Amino acid sequence: ADSEKLDNLECPGCHKQTVAVWFSNPAPNEYRTWFICSECRFHTRVHNFDKPPYDSIDRVRVDLEDRDKAILDAAKFKRPAR
C-alpha cells in the first residue's frame, strides 16, 4: 500500500490479481489499511502509526471503518492519547 498500486494485487490465498487496498480511520489518529481479495476469503488489516500515503476518501470503506471503530470501543485497555 506504500506504492501507488492499490488494485489488482496478487492474493496470497488464491494467487489471482484480485486484492484491493482499502483504508479506515476509526478514531482520531487511528489508521488502518485493509487488503481484501474479491475472489476468495483472504483479508488482512494493518494498524498504521500515521495516515497512509495513499489514503483518500474514495478508498475508505464505511463498513470496515465501522468494524474497526467497534473493536476500539469494545477494547478493555484503551490506547493512550498521542
Side-chain angles (χ1 to χ4, degrees), residues 1-6 21 23 51-60:
D2 285 339
S3 72
E4 288 186 58
K5 186 168 180 165
L6 302 176
V21 178
F23 301 100
K51 184 176 180 176
Y54 297 101
D55 184 342
S56 65
I57 194 72
D58 60 323
R59 297 303 295 198
V60 171

Side-chain angles (χ1 to χ4, degrees), residues 27 35 55 66 77 81:
F35 298 84
D55 184 342
D66 289 346
F77 300 103

Side-chain angles (χ1 to χ4, degrees), residues 23 39 41-42 44 68 75:
F23 301 100
E39 288 292 317
R41 298 183 66 188
F42 172 81
T44 192
D68 287 336

